[in-house]
Amino acid sequence: MQIQTPLMSQYNKIKQAYPDTILLFRMGDFFETFEEDAKIAAKVLGITLTKRGNGMAGDIPLAGFPHHALDTYLPKLVRAGYRVAVCEQTENPKFAKGIVKREVIEVVTPGVAFSDKLLDHKKNNYLMGICISDSITGISFCDISTGEFYTYEIPSAQLQQQIETISPSEILIQKKDKDFLTSLISKLDHSIKISKLDDWIFNYEYAKELLIMQFKTVNLKGFGIESLITGIMSCGAVLNYLQETQKANLSHLQNVSVYNPSEYMNLDHSTKRNLEITFSMHEGQREGSLISILDKTETAMGGRLLKKWLSAPLIKLEPILKRQQSVEELVINSGIRRKVIDELKEIGDLERLISKVCTGRANPREIVNIKTSLKKIPAIKELLASSNGNTLVQLSRSLLVLQNLDEKIDKAIIDSPPLSLAEGGVIKNGFSPELDELRDISLHGKDWIANLQKSEREKTGISSLKVNFNKVFGYYIEISNANKDKIPDDYIRKQTLVNHERFITPELKAYEDKILNAEEKIYDLESQLFNELRLTVADEAESIQSNARLIAMLDCFISLAECAVQYNYVKPEMNNDEEIEIIDGRHPVVERILAPGDKYTPNSCHLNNSKDQIIILTGPNMAGKSVYLRQVGLIVLLAQIGSFVPAKSANIGIVDRIFTRVGASDNITAGESTFLVEMQEAANIINNATSKSLILLDEIGRGTSTFDGISIAWSITEYLHENPSIAAKTLFATHYHELNEMAELFPRIKNYKVEVREYDDKV
């Protein structure tokens, strides 16, 4: 048997418990990886692969990086698709006896992360669980960094739509479903990490017990999910995975909510891409997208919520009108709006901060950030209460002032603490008498010894008395043999030398213990006091999460109000009619990115199901047909998130879906030609549109021969006109002028053309 070094023996024991991860093993100032992990880390991170001796077991591959660079290197491993176990030293090496204790403090995966470097502060990071039971699929999704947790059930045929809508970073599936789901998910998005779990984890009784223990309830009726059998099973798989990867309390997961997809518009990937809602078609960047010009939020929470609103617009009138009313009140109350913006600028990411607190990850600065954020709430409450708006006043009433918690943090922690507790000096002087005494000893120990020597000389009358120190005996009082007759009765003899005697006193021994152990005791006591404060903050998790949600909503309303004022938007009239009327509409993004001096030419649109159902739009290349189509889609989408819109006026009958088929693109990696992609998108529209949908078609049949293309375009248009169940409002931009004949044959088809006019040699 090969004998390993004690350190490598410790490493191998931990590695055996986490076989499917890259194990980052903390050694002093470095995180090291060994063996196969080292080879992977060296390749992915671009660090040097070297060797380390392992006793008689021989040399092993080694690759490492400084511990302070964890936030730089960890995200690279996770983005490369690896699960990473972070193994930390769990005791201070200064005070360790033998091998330093180490244990895995967390396993980081694409869907389970707290690191600021791994998370986009304006985007949720969802972990999704999928449980398929014949025709019903249970879906749960959770953002561990914010504490959001949802579950629901859908017909299995709608699974693809839901994955596209929620856009998770990682999906948990049963091994029995791996072939079907791996194929489905990979086609949708190659970047989604798929984690296959044992089938027994997706067990109803086990899942139910896990949830009841997590939420400390007797049943699940209070969450409204008790009848969702497959939903509960998917929920249990998510919770199990979180508990396995996070070696910490998950108390910030306070409840699980039912997600109702019927309340939101489902936007498929091609529509998000073609309308450039959250990313532009050019390299998938945020720049040039709708969110880039609409996001004026001041907080990370508001930014994430706005992205959710844009990705899933509302399809019910009442909640749309409520949002619209809030935006309108903030447009009117411009003074209050500007003052609230100033307060929001100083509010941190409360959702993610309280999650770190509850899982024991919060550092001193993050606790102070919570205090600073909570201190802004009274001012915001007061400002909202002073408005004349019903919804703003209601929002003001719902915000919770946590003054006691503010004061506790303020009393305990200095205003500008170090990042790490280990650096010391986190707790304020005056908060703990015991800590103050230890600090005083640490700082003034030598002064105390000098004072003791002076006072003992005066007390005994021995002018040559000395207080000294050595490593064997510690502190002692040394008296020469000539002064033996003056030694006080309370002196305890410790050592006899040729010319001197050495003594100790109970007082000196007690102080020696304090001096020698002061540094360790200061660290331990600061850690204890900080942890007690952290638990106090964690107890208020529910209230802080509630405030975070309300502030996020307020931030979104203000962002939309700011856009309405700055960009000259109007409040659209919303209703359940089957009509869309936009007067002098403008493309919200294009008008913002025009060169100085250029002016956007507005255009109107009138669609309804009874007379003007389908518009055939023709005109020369570069005339703006595509922009016009997208403009109408974006105005409807903005209206249905509760925003004002870029137009002179707008009357919007709510649509249930927006479908787009725009431009020529292929998917070579999946073996799909331009024509095939075009036909698949067209088939998706025909199979899923209803009479309440809005369809935007920019060229159909261009990927094949002219006559075949015209035939396809004609037949699809005719099908949309002649089938009442999918007779959706449709804008169809085309180069096939032959389609203009359809207006004479079908009563609800109208022809429009884009004209390009020249004035003084300018278009």
Side-chain angles (χ1 to χ4, degrees):
M1 181 180 170
Q2 292 179 324
I3 300 171
Q4 299 179 331
T5 64
L7 182 80
M8 288 312 299
S9 180
Q10 183 191 45
Y11 167 82
N12 284 320
K13 188 177 178 183
I14 295 170
K15 178 64 181 174
Q16 283 168 13
Y18 297 90
D20 58 343
T21 65
I22 303 289
L23 180 62
L24 301 182
F25 191 74
R26 178 74 182 268
M27 290 172 60
D29 290 335
F30 283 79
F31 274 110
E32 302 287 7
T33 56
F34 299 100
E35 299 170 330
E36 287 305 309
D37 286 0
K39 294 174 185 176
I40 293 168
K43 187 176 179 182
V44 173
L45 304 178
I47 56 179
T48 305
L49 183 66
T50 179
K51 292 178 185 173
R52 175 187 171 86
N54 186 20
M56 293 174 68
D59 292 345
I60 54 172
L62 165 77
F65 53 82
H67 74 95
H68 57 76
L70 180 66
D71 280 348
T72 302
Y73 288 112
L74 176 63
K76 291 181 181 178
L77 287 168
V78 176
R79 288 194 189 107
Y82 295 101
R83 300 170 81 238
V84 183
V86 181
C87 180
E88 264 288 6
Q89 296 172 170
T90 53
E91 65 176 336
N92 193 321
K94 286 183 188 175
F95 314 122
K97 294 174 177 64
I99 293 287
V100 177
K101 288 178 186 172
R102 293 176 174 87
E103 60 184 65
V104 171
I105 57 165
E106 68 175 325
V107 178
V108 185
T109 76
V112 187
F114 284 92
S115 166
D116 293 336
K117 295 284 175 70
L118 201 54
L119 298 170
D120 181 340
H121 70 286
K122 293 227 168 172
K123 180 184 176 186
N124 279 100
N125 190 55
Y126 288 126
L127 170 71
M128 177 184 277
I130 295 174
C131 179
I132 300 175
S133 178
D134 299 325
S135 61
I136 297 294
T137 293
I139 297 177
S140 297
F141 59 100
C142 176
D143 186 339
I144 186 72
S145 71
T146 65
E148 297 162 76
F149 199 0
Y150 298 94
T151 190
Y152 61 113
E153 290 180 351
I154 53 160
S156 294
Q158 295 176 12
L159 177 57
Q160 180 176 329
Q161 294 174 7
Q162 295 306 310
I163 295 173
E164 285 183 320
T165 298
I166 293 156
S167 195
S169 299
E170 182 176 4
I171 298 179
L172 310 176
I173 65 173
Q174 296 183 76
K175 285 182 177 173
K176 74 176 180 67
D177 297 324
K178 66 180 180 184
D179 293 339
F180 165 66
L181 285 177
T182 301
S183 171
L184 173 72
I185 295 162
S186 299
K187 276 184 182 176
L188 286 177
D189 189 344
H190 280 290
S191 68
I192 297 175
K193 167 78 173 168
I194 302 168
S195 297
K196 306 168 198 68
L197 306 186
D198 292 333
D199 293 344
W200 68 264
I201 292 170
F202 291 79
N203 174 277
Y204 175 74
E205 292 300 332
Y206 173 67
K208 186 177 176 183
E209 187 180 342
L210 266 187
L211 293 167
I212 285 171
M213 287 172 66
Q214 172 66 29
F215 303 129
K216 299 178 176 61
T217 56
V218 292
N219 56 45
L220 300 175
K221 288 182 180 177
F223 305 114
I225 67 169
E226 72 281 359
S227 62
L228 306 178
I229 305 300
T230 54
I232 288 170
M233 285 151 75
S234 66
C235 227
V238 169
L239 190 53
N240 169 272
Y241 192 74
L242 293 173
Q243 289 175 348
E244 288 295 311
T245 55
Q246 300 306 295
K247 308 297 173 185
N249 187 344
L250 300 176
S251 61
H252 67 299
L253 294 183
Q254 300 269 338
N255 57 48
V256 59
S257 305
V258 178
Y259 178 78
N260 186 357
S262 68
E263 293 178 2
Y264 306 102
M265 186 192 298
N266 178 44
L267 297 170
D268 56 43
H269 182 74
S270 64
T271 299
K272 287 180 186 174
R273 182 194 69 226
N274 294 332
L275 292 183
E276 300 180 296
I277 297 168
T278 56
F279 58 91
S280 70
M281 291 173 81
H282 178 63
E283 297 179 354
Q285 299 296 313
R286 184 182 166 101
E287 197 64 35
S289 66
L290 178 63
I291 199 169
S292 71
I293 63 106
L294 210 62
D295 185 1
K296 296 187 179 296
T297 56
E298 297 292 345
T299 68
M301 304 164 291
R304 286 194 297 273
L305 184 61
L306 185 64
K307 185 176 186 296
K308 275 193 230 173
W309 285 6
L310 284 167
S311 301
L314 298 168
I315 54 175
K316 293 191 175 170
L317 183 60
E318 190 179 346
I320 292 172
L321 293 177
K322 277 186 179 176
R323 282 190 196 171
Q324 206 181 63
Q325 186 181 347
S326 301
V327 174
E328 185 177 30
E329 288 174 9
L330 284 160
V331 167
I332 295 166
N333 292 285
S334 58
I336 289 173
R337 187 178 75 246
R338 281 191 285 272
K339 286 175 184 173
V340 173
I341 288 172
D342 289 339
E343 301 294 339
L344 290 176
K345 284 177 180 174
E346 295 185 50
I347 291 183
D349 192 344
L350 284 172
E351 280 181 326
R352 285 186 171 160
L353 287 170
I354 193 60
S355 296
K356 284 186 175 182
V357 168
C358 291
T359 53
R361 285 178 173 77
N363 62 46
R365 286 184 193 170
E366 286 166 334
I367 297 286
V368 170
N369 197 342
I370 287 177
K371 176 194 79 173
T372 309
S373 302
L374 293 178
K375 277 185 181 295
K376 294 290 162 189
I377 287 173
I380 292 173
K381 270 181 80 79
E382 197 175 322
L383 284 166
L384 296 178
S386 68
S387 76
N388 297 320
N390 292 335
T391 57
L392 296 185
V393 170
Q394 183 58 48
L395 209 154
S396 166
R397 289 181 188 140
S398 302
L399 281 168
L400 303 169
V401 175
L402 302 174
Q403 190 176 344
N404 288 342
L405 184 61
D406 274 350
E407 290 171 356
K408 281 177 185 173
I409 298 172
D410 200 42
K411 284 178 185 173
I413 299 184
I414 64 172
D415 292 338
S416 299
L419 196 59
S420 168
L421 197 60
E423 292 178 48
V426 169
I427 304 296
K428 270 185 181 176
N429 289 328
F431 181 72
S432 163
E434 185 184 352
L435 181 62
D436 290 348
E437 185 187 358
L438 286 168
R439 282 174 174 166
D440 188 60
I441 290 166
S442 181
L443 282 169
H444 306 111
K446 288 181 180 176
D447 295 346
W448 190 89
I449 294 297
N451 289 334
L452 178 72
Q453 181 173 286
K454 184 182 175 185
S455 66
E456 289 300 310
R457 282 178 177 179
E458 290 171 357
K459 190 172 85 173
T460 60
I462 304 171
S463 60
S464 61
L465 179 150
K466 292 177 183 173
V467 180
N468 284 334
F469 173 84
N470 71 31
K471 287 185 178 179
V472 178
F473 292 111
Y475 285 97
Y476 55 85
I477 297 170
E478 190 172 87
I479 297 176
S480 64
N481 290 340
N483 292 300
K484 271 186 179 180
D485 57 329
K486 295 179 181 177
I487 295 169
D489 295 337
D490 62 337
Y491 276 32
I492 301 164
R493 183 177 279 102
K494 193 71 182 170
Q495 189 183 24
T496 302
L497 300 174
V498 176
N499 297 318
H500 300 88
E501 296 259 6
R502 289 175 177 174
F503 300 87
I504 59 169
T505 66
E507 181 189 14
L508 180 59
K509 210 63 198 164
Y511 202 81
E512 174 194 85
D513 184 54
K514 285 181 178 178
I515 290 175
L516 296 182
N517 297 308
E519 192 180 337
E520 183 179 352
K521 284 182 176 176
I522 286 169
Y523 175 78
D524 288 344
L525 186 53
E526 276 212 288
S527 299
Q528 179 192 326
L529 293 170
F530 180 77
N531 198 47
E532 286 171 3
L533 180 67
R534 184 184 64 76
L535 293 172
T536 301
V537 177
D539 287 340
E540 296 288 353
E542 196 171 351
S543 298
I544 291 171
Q545 285 175 331
S546 172
N547 276 346
R549 284 190 292 272
L550 293 166
I551 287 165
M553 277 173 51
L554 176 61
D555 202 5
C556 285
F557 293 145
I558 288 176
S559 182
L560 296 178
E562 280 288 297
C563 290
V565 173
Q566 288 182 31
Y567 304 157
N568 191 28
Y569 287 2
V570 298
K571 177 183 164 186
E573 292 296 321
M574 303 299 297
N575 52 61
N576 284 316
D577 297 343
E578 296 185 329
E579 186 159 16
I580 294 173
E581 185 171 36
I582 300 165
I583 306 299
D584 288 348
R586 314 182 306 273
H587 191 294
V589 182
V590 174
E591 74 166 352
R592 305 309 326 154
I593 59 175
L594 288 175
D598 286 351
K599 187 172 178 291
Y600 189 89
T601 305
N603 277 286
S604 301
C605 177
H606 186 234
L607 287 167
N608 59 50
N609 290 54
S610 56
K611 292 179 181 176
D612 302 285
Q613 180 207 335
I614 299 173
I615 289 177
I616 304 284
L617 186 63
T618 54
N621 285 328
M622 301 293 289
K625 298 190 298 297
S626 295
V627 172
Y628 177 71
L629 258 64
R630 290 182 172 98
Q631 164 187 312
V632 173
L634 289 174
I635 287 173
V636 170
L637 185 139
L638 282 173
Q640 290 192 209
I641 68 164
S643 172
F644 283 30
V645 299
K648 188 176 179 182
S649 68
N651 186 334
I652 310 288
I654 292 171
V655 304
D656 60 0
R657 292 280 298 269
I658 299 174
F659 292 96
T660 62
R661 152 88 283 284
V662 175
S665 61
D666 54 34
N667 187 2
I668 293 299
T669 55
E672 297 171 352
S673 67
T674 304
F675 180 65
L676 183 55
V677 169
E678 194 177 280
M679 291 302 100
Q680 285 173 339
E681 290 183 3
N684 174 47
I685 293 169
I686 288 169
N687 290 324
N688 293 297
T690 73
S691 60
K692 284 188 71 71
S693 302
L694 173 64
I695 300 174
L696 308 172
L697 302 173
D698 188 0
E699 303 295 353
I700 279 191
R702 296 279 285 177
T704 185
S705 66
T706 303
F707 289 115
D708 285 352
I710 292 170
S711 301
I712 291 168
W714 185 294
S715 59
I716 287 175
T717 309
E718 183 175 339
Y719 188 80
L720 291 172
H721 185 279
E722 295 297 286
N723 283 273
S725 62
I726 62 161
K729 290 177 279 293
T730 305
L731 284 173
F732 187 178
T734 182
H735 279 92
Y736 294 140
H737 288 266
E738 293 85 349
L739 297 183
N740 284 340
E741 294 175 26
M742 297 187 78
E744 297 170 16
L745 301 171
F746 301 97
R748 298 190 307 282
I749 295 180
K750 299 290 185 286
N751 289 332
Y752 285 82
K753 67 173 179 175
V754 178
E755 283 193 350
V756 180
R757 292 179 181 168
E758 265 185 63
Y759 297 96
D760 300 328
D761 295 330
K762 284 188 177 180
V763 171

